[in-house]
Amino acid sequence: MKLLLHEISVPLLKPFKISRGTVNEQTILIVELQKDGQSGFGEVGENGYYGHSLETMTESILRVTSRVESTCLSSGDAVWEAVNEQLSSDRFALSALDMAAQDLFAKLHGRPCYQEWGLQWTSLPESSFTISIGTPEEMVLQLKEQPGWRIYKIKLGVPDDIEIVRALRLHTDAVLRVDANCAWTVQEAITKSIVLKDLGVEFIEQPLPRESTKEEQELVYRESALPIIADESCCLPRDVERCAGAFHGINVKLCKCGGPTPALAMLKQARSLGLHTMIGCMLETSIGISAAAQLLPLLDYADLDGAILLGNDPAEGVTIDRGVVSLANRPGCGGRLKQ
Ligand SMILES: [Mg+2]
């Protein structure tokens, strides 16, 4: 196998604001694995919150390149198995490698990844579209610019949270979900959940900080009027069990856990524990979105609008039409660089 890296900087369609900052441009590292005339693609983006830069992720991948290139691709998870321990401190880099290897393995077999993973392409949830933080008027404008989605995810974590949801509700009957990105206190989460429920919100994602205690999480879990989904509090496979009894569901992201291989295991474990399952994304191209979309049959909720939020997606793959995900009709995950 041959490993190639491509660095890409993509300006966003418009600045994307959440409770801990604003992003104008996303820097992305694309991993390409070549074998027998086929290319498998994986990707990962820089992320300050999780502490991964282009430099650190490139360094991580270069550290394991010879090992990856000499791996016999006897299964989709062979690369993950080969470098998982060495990359235990850089799940982001591991994710891009695993994604590329799973894509390549399925391509060499002429089958889509979801089939390789034993999944049936049925009972698929629609994706939400994310509205980033702004004034209520700005957020209503974002909603109006993306009409027709059946689910919107609203970024919150500012003093006028409730006013924002009230304003949006006046303009849509769609399902609304909210994501506080760690910005609320226990009391705030409980109090706001009651009002948000009245406004027809379906669930709250990550109200408390990642550092919140199990007791605080359990209190919100018990007292909240709405289901609570863990995002920042659920990164690795070992986090799933801890989330049972402290959250109603988990939001798995490929980069947080280290790729499709652990994501598949986490979603299956979550379902066995009675947790709701969700897949989310970062600001990423259609390569990453196409890989995450292969897991849709295991999901209750999907948030896969990352490529739509980019100004100009340098890749192509699954398409999302107002939430409805369609496969690319190609083997593997279906994502590839344009040209
Ligand atoms: Mg989130």
Side-chain angles (χ1 to χ4, degrees):
M1 255 186 312
K2 176 94 188 125
L3 190 158
L4 304 170
L5 293 178
H6 311 272
E7 296 172 15
I8 301 177
S9 254
V10 193
L12 304 192
L13 201 55
K14 48 178 60 186
F16 187 78
K17 188 175 178 198
I18 69 167
S19 62
R20 52 179 171 257
T22 304
V23 182
N24 295 295
E25 183 180 74
Q26 177 67 333
T27 301
I28 291 167
L29 186 61
I30 307 271
V31 170
E32 180 177 358
L33 285 176
Q34 297 177 336
K35 184 182 160 80
D36 299 341
Q38 298 275 7
S39 281
F41 292 100
E43 79 163 276
V44 68
E46 279 193 326
N47 190 301
Y49 176 74
Y50 287 104
H52 297 289
S53 67
L54 187 70
E55 291 72 29
T56 61
M57 296 187 296
T58 303
E59 194 201 297
S60 295
I61 291 174
L62 293 178
R63 202 151 43 84
V64 298
T65 294
S66 62
R67 187 151 210 183
V68 169
E69 290 187 331
S70 62
T71 298
C72 167
L73 202 60
S74 55
S75 60
D77 60 6
V79 165
W80 188 89
E81 291 287 352
V83 299
N84 169 40
E85 269 177 39
Q86 255 182 294
L87 291 184
S88 60
S89 61
D90 193 342
R91 300 286 160 180
F92 275 55
L94 179 62
S95 171
L97 289 168
D98 184 39
M99 210 184 283
Q102 289 279 7
D103 184 39
L104 178 58
F105 180 78
K107 274 180 181 153
L108 292 168
H109 281 213
R111 301 212 293 173
C113 284
Y114 75 85
Q115 270 182 20
E116 284 293 331
W117 302 338
L119 306 177
Q120 310 272 336
W121 199 249
T122 53
S123 316
L124 312 170
E126 289 186 15
S127 172
S128 50
F129 179 80
T130 306
I131 296 178
S132 84
I133 291 178
T135 63
E137 296 73 27
E138 286 164 349
M139 293 175 78
V140 166
L141 187 62
Q142 290 180 54
L143 176 87
K144 287 182 173 173
E145 285 170 352
Q146 288 285 340
W149 292 67
R150 296 212 300 198
I151 312 159
Y152 294 91
K153 182 165 118 171
I154 308 159
K155 291 290 192 180
L156 295 182
V158 288
D160 50 357
D161 282 338
I162 299 299
E163 199 187 316
I164 286 167
V165 180
R166 277 211 178 96
L168 289 166
R169 186 43 97 201
L170 289 177
H171 294 272
T172 182
D173 292 328
V175 172
L176 299 180
R177 300 169 178 167
V178 309
D179 185 354
N181 281 110
C182 307
W184 293 347
T185 63
V186 167
Q187 199 47 55
E188 215 178 347
I190 295 168
T191 310
K192 286 185 176 176
S193 75
I194 297 163
V195 188
L196 292 172
K197 186 180 183 185
D198 283 343
L199 288 166
V201 168
E202 187 180 28
F203 64 70
I204 299 169
E205 197 179 311
Q206 193 71 36
L208 304 183
R210 185 159 52 148
E211 308 72 34
S212 55
T213 65
K214 187 96 196 285
E215 290 67 35
E216 290 170 324
Q217 293 167 359
E218 285 171 352
L219 184 56
V220 172
Y221 172 79
R222 280 197 310 271
E223 302 290 323
S224 169
L226 289 172
I228 307 290
I229 308 293
D231 180 358
E232 287 86 342
S233 288
C234 185
C235 295
L236 299 171
R238 66 165 179 260
D239 297 330
V240 178
E241 197 165 4
R242 264 209 301 256
C243 285
F247 295 90
H248 299 84
I250 59 167
N251 181 0
V252 172
K253 290 177 186 163
L254 300 184
C255 58
K256 288 190 303 182
C257 69
T261 297
L264 193 58
M266 288 172 78
L267 293 169
K268 286 179 177 172
Q269 189 191 1
R271 285 215 152 166
S272 76
L273 291 167
L275 289 163
H276 296 207
T277 53
M278 173 171 179
I279 271 254
C281 61
M282 302 299 192
L283 294 160
E284 53 193 79
T285 79
S286 284
I287 290 174
I289 298 298
S290 298
Q294 301 296 313
L295 294 161
L296 277 173
L298 285 174
L299 303 178
D300 299 308
Y301 316 120
D303 181 32
L304 295 175
D305 61 349
I308 296 168
L309 300 169
L310 299 178
N312 189 6
D313 187 356
E316 57 193 1
V318 300
T319 54
I320 301 181
D321 179 13
R322 286 162 292 167
V324 179
V325 181
S326 301
L327 290 170
N329 241 337
R330 285 191 285 273
C333 294
R336 63 186 178 194
L337 284 172
K338 286 178 186 165
Q339 291 295 336

